[in-house]
Amino acid sequence: MSEQPATDVTRPRRCRRLRALGGLLRRCGADRSYRTLRPALVVVCLIAAAGLPAGSSVAGATGSTALRVLQLNLCNSGRAGCYTGRSVTEAAEVIGAELPDLVTLNEICQDDVAALEHAFAAGHGGGTVVSAFKAAGDRPTGAVTECRNGQPYGVGLLTHLAAPYRGHTVHSGIHPTQDVTDPEERPWLCVHVAGVLHACTTHLAATSATVALAQCAHLLDTVVPMIRRSTGYAPTVLSGDLNLRHGGSPDVRSCVPPGYLRIDDGAVQQIMATTDVTICCSRSIGMHGATDHPGLLATLTIDDRRPAWAAREPRWTPTRVAPTRRARWTRHRAGQAAVNGR
């Protein structure tokens, strides 16, 4: 499919410059309205910092760095109806073909991260590959949600960092607001690479849009500022299956902080970014029926010459736009598994 410009985003001023950077971008946003992407999207939060990762990313005299972000919901628990047993193999092929700098993963088993890390590292010469995983909680047992094979089930993240490697820390947790009728407790996961990158992912509640909205707000209004206070400000990108839609009830835009840019796949996968990040082009990637979600590949541009005020935590508190009405969701679960295929 052809790449498409982002929703809620005006034409990026740096698109013309990026065309000269090795042809990384096939087509940047023209002065025309966004054409809604048909395939579906997953959650995950990417908070990119100043320096920026990836051997394939390009930093030139323009003061910009290109970042390719790949979002995947693999439905690989083995319990949901969308499970095929082929999604990890398909994901490895996509990673090898597209060579993303960041990969966010939803609905995976813990060992899937290691398997995909090999494919990811093979496409990047030199530098350092960082991976992380966070299991979803299981309310009935107080332990973690498990895949059918007994491995922990949850979300993961992969990123490639160009030298020099400065070390990294992992931050993770369970959202305080959960759907009490759903045994799966939704997690969030962030990786902070000192002076280079802060990346997060999450997969929000599928059984209640109201709960998903609260989880989205927790991530953007509490988790991100908390990490900034301990690590310093970094340009912020959120990518994942939020189970919230543009124009839905509640609307995903209700949890977008002021000044953020946003794109989606026409469904529940979203990418958001602060204004020091340009979201230029995106396209969906077919997964050949291996999962019920397409891949979402987006090209972002980090402004390495962002103004000094951006290096500090904003003094204002983001406000929220209350949804006009709340959706009534029917709980749809199969068996006793704490895993859904959305």
Side-chain angles (χ1 to χ4, degrees):
M1 297 180 65
S2 61
E3 293 185 350
Q4 302 193 31
T7 67
D8 295 357
V9 181
T10 55
R11 180 189 176 104
R13 290 176 292 179
R14 301 189 188 281
C15 285
R16 291 189 297 270
R17 296 174 182 172
L18 287 172
R19 289 194 185 99
L21 299 178
L24 279 176
L25 306 180
R26 296 182 183 176
R27 185 178 67 202
C28 292
D31 292 327
R32 57 181 178 271
S33 61
Y34 168 70
R35 292 174 297 177
T36 303
L37 293 171
R38 297 185 63 86
L41 271 183
V42 174
V43 160
V44 186
C45 218
L46 303 173
I47 304 166
L52 234 70
S56 61
S57 295
V58 177
T62 60
S64 297
T65 303
L67 178 72
R68 289 165 63 82
V69 179
L70 177 63
Q71 163 63 32
L72 295 170
N73 182 327
L74 297 184
C75 188
N76 201 43
S77 69
R79 299 181 184 276
C82 53
Y83 174 76
T84 65
R86 299 184 290 107
S87 62
V88 174
T89 300
E90 185 68 24
E93 294 180 1
V94 170
I95 289 170
E98 300 294 344
L99 299 178
D101 306 309
L102 291 167
V103 181
T104 55
L105 301 165
N106 299 136
E107 296 195 41
I108 58 168
C109 304
Q110 187 168 18
D111 284 358
D112 297 340
V113 177
L116 293 174
E117 183 178 355
H118 290 302
F120 185 73
H124 294 280
T128 301
V129 170
V130 172
S131 65
F133 173 84
K134 175 62 178 177
D138 181 61
R139 180 176 293 103
T141 66
V144 301
T145 297
E146 294 182 349
C147 294
R148 187 172 62 180
N149 61 12
Q151 295 177 22
Y153 164 90
V155 297
L157 183 148
L158 299 168
T159 185
H160 174 257
L161 306 169
Y165 171 66
R166 299 180 175 93
H168 73 278
T169 57
V170 176
H171 308 260
S172 63
I174 300 294
H175 291 287
T177 301
Q178 300 285 339
D179 180 0
V180 296
T181 67
D182 182 357
E184 179 186 338
E185 296 180 323
R186 305 292 173 136
W188 57 267
L189 169 68
C190 299
V191 173
H192 176 75
V193 181
V196 178
L197 172 75
H198 185 80
C200 303
T201 184
T202 186
H203 180 208
L204 302 186
T207 52
S208 169
T210 301
V211 170
L213 185 68
Q215 293 169 343
C216 181
H218 170 70
L219 187 57
L220 290 170
D221 289 349
T222 301
V223 172
V224 170
M226 175 186 68
I227 297 175
R228 283 177 179 170
R229 284 193 292 271
S230 63
T231 63
Y233 176 83
T236 300
V237 181
L238 164 63
S239 168
D241 183 346
L242 302 185
N243 279 307
L244 294 167
R245 298 171 181 264
H246 176 105
S249 178
D251 195 304
V252 66
R253 291 171 292 181
S254 298
C255 79
V256 180
Y260 273 53
L261 307 177
R262 186 192 65 84
I263 62 169
D264 60 47
D265 64 346
V268 294
Q269 294 189 108
Q270 312 283 335
I271 296 178
M272 304 177 193
T274 47
T275 53
D276 42 9
V277 179
T278 297
I279 305 176
C280 182
C281 306
S282 67
R283 60 187 170 94
S284 61
I285 299 175
M287 299 295 287
H288 300 99
T291 176
D292 61 341
H293 293 72
L296 175 67
L297 181 68
T299 300
L300 281 55
T301 310
I302 308 298
D303 184 359
D304 298 334
R305 302 173 301 177
R306 63 188 184 281
W309 59 262
R312 301 189 302 271
E313 177 69 16
R315 295 174 182 267
W316 45 262
T317 300
T319 57
R320 295 283 171 200
V321 178
T324 56
R325 58 190 177 91
R326 296 187 182 279
R328 294 183 178 179
W329 285 63
T330 302
R331 182 171 176 268
H332 178 70
R333 308 285 292 175
Q336 61 182 9
V339 178
N340 67 74
R342 298 189 187 183

